[in-house]
Amino acid sequence: MAQQRFGADGWVAIERHDHVAELIMDRPKAMNAVSTAMADSLAQACDELAADRSVRAVVLTSTHERAFCVGADLKERNSLTDAELMRQRPRTRAAYTGVLELPMPTIAAVHGFALGGGYELALACDLIVADATATVGLPEVSVGVIPGGGGTQLLPRRVGAARAAELVFTARRVPAPEAAELGLVDQLVEEGRDRAEALELAARIARNSPLGLRAAKRAMRLGHGLDLRTGLDLEDGAWRSVAFSGDRTEGVAAFNEKREPQWPGE
């Protein structure tokens, strides 16, 4: 299946599987460490996916056999002046927000090391499927910084404030079984099965209404942390955005006619 490559080095690719898009990190010599160029490529690929109305679900994967992503490229970071680091910041941030703000459901397929910015990329996804080799963590305070790819905000939303504080403050690495027990990942699968299981899950998701999926994600993401009444009003707005759509008409008709829906996506 043809891949669309991004960036001069081609470290990020998109491969399409019908209505599922696989967002592939492919910087093997650096275990997918997020350099400035890698960040630019991720941001460009996410812009492409966000604009593609045919994509109903995205799976973020890695080609490296021992790592999902080891986080920031500290070798590059060590060579930057303070001024250069400040100029780099918006570019690296764009990579993480690019994944976070994808309008369709997203799944991270994690194996091996997913540390620092690597785990933050997984946290930016809606669901995380991890295999038995996975090790996750946010160790940034051990090198004098903090999680800066969304970790201080996304991890508490996933596991609660106290659990997130313990993990961030200790900088500890969490192996797959404990990660599943603590809710750091959502599904634990056999070694080597993370990509296949994530793609299968994405295919099940992609059978549903593309408008419905995007509206449901928008309501859940924007409603988190709001008071109940405000959240219900937000949900009502999302409902209204799809209730009179072609997808709703087709979905009801297909149900009554006992057939698979052919979603118009409008």
Side-chain angles (χ1 to χ4, degrees), residues 4-259:
Q4 182 180 2
R5 292 269 168 176
F6 295 84
D9 297 301
W11 289 332
V12 175
I14 292 174
E15 187 171 301
R16 287 171 170 78
H17 309 265
D18 198 5
H19 291 293
V20 174
E22 185 178 1
L23 179 57
I24 306 165
M25 295 182 289
D26 186 25
R27 193 187 177 199
K29 291 183 178 179
M31 292 180 140
N32 293 328
V34 182
S35 63
T36 308
M38 178 85 164
D40 288 343
S41 298
L42 275 169
Q44 291 164 15
C46 288
D47 285 345
E48 175 83 11
L49 289 171
D52 190 341
R53 300 294 297 185
S54 71
V55 176
R56 300 179 189 171
V58 172
V59 179
L60 180 61
T61 67
S62 161
T63 62
H64 197 285
E65 63 181 15
R66 294 190 294 113
F68 175 73
C69 171
V70 294
D73 187 335
L74 295 183
K75 289 184 179 178
E76 180 192 61
R77 189 72 59 85
N78 191 51
S79 71
L80 300 178
T81 66
D82 289 351
E84 289 170 335
L85 182 59
M86 285 298 293
R87 287 194 295 270
Q88 183 209 43
R89 174 63 176 167
R91 297 166 68 180
T92 54
R93 189 175 180 187
Y96 297 101
T97 56
V99 175
L100 182 65
E101 294 178 357
L102 284 170
M104 67 289 289
T106 53
I107 304 167
V110 175
H111 60 266
F113 296 113
L115 301 172
Y119 184 48
E120 287 174 303
L121 286 170
L123 287 172
C125 296
D126 299 297
L127 297 167
I128 302 174
V129 174
D131 84 352
T133 70
T135 298
V136 305
L138 297 176
E140 284 90 343
V141 296
S142 69
V143 293
V145 290
I146 69 166
T152 66
Q153 304 305 304
L154 295 171
L155 189 58
R157 285 168 167 77
R158 173 173 274 272
V159 298
R163 179 69 68 192
E166 183 265 323
L167 292 166
V168 171
F169 296 161
T170 62
R172 71 184 181 94
R173 302 180 178 192
V174 184
E178 185 184 2
E181 182 181 345
L182 297 180
L184 300 174
V185 303
D186 301 299
Q187 185 176 339
L188 186 60
V189 300
E190 294 178 1
E191 180 176 344
R193 291 288 301 169
D194 54 295
R195 177 179 177 271
E197 296 286 350
L199 286 170
E200 182 179 329
L201 176 57
R204 294 203 305 271
I205 290 171
R207 288 199 289 266
N208 297 306
S209 158
L211 287 188
L213 290 170
R214 289 176 180 233
K217 175 169 178 171
R218 186 168 65 251
M220 287 189 288
R221 281 287 181 92
L222 296 179
H224 189 94
L226 298 178
D227 66 87
L228 180 59
R229 173 54 60 189
T230 304
L232 290 172
D233 287 344
L234 187 150
E235 179 186 78
D236 185 64
W239 177 86
R240 291 173 186 274
S241 73
V242 297
F244 309 102
S245 68
D247 272 14
R248 193 273 304 173
T249 301
E250 169 61 11
V252 172
F255 177 84
N256 285 302
E257 295 166 15
K258 297 181 173 57
R259 60 173 174 81

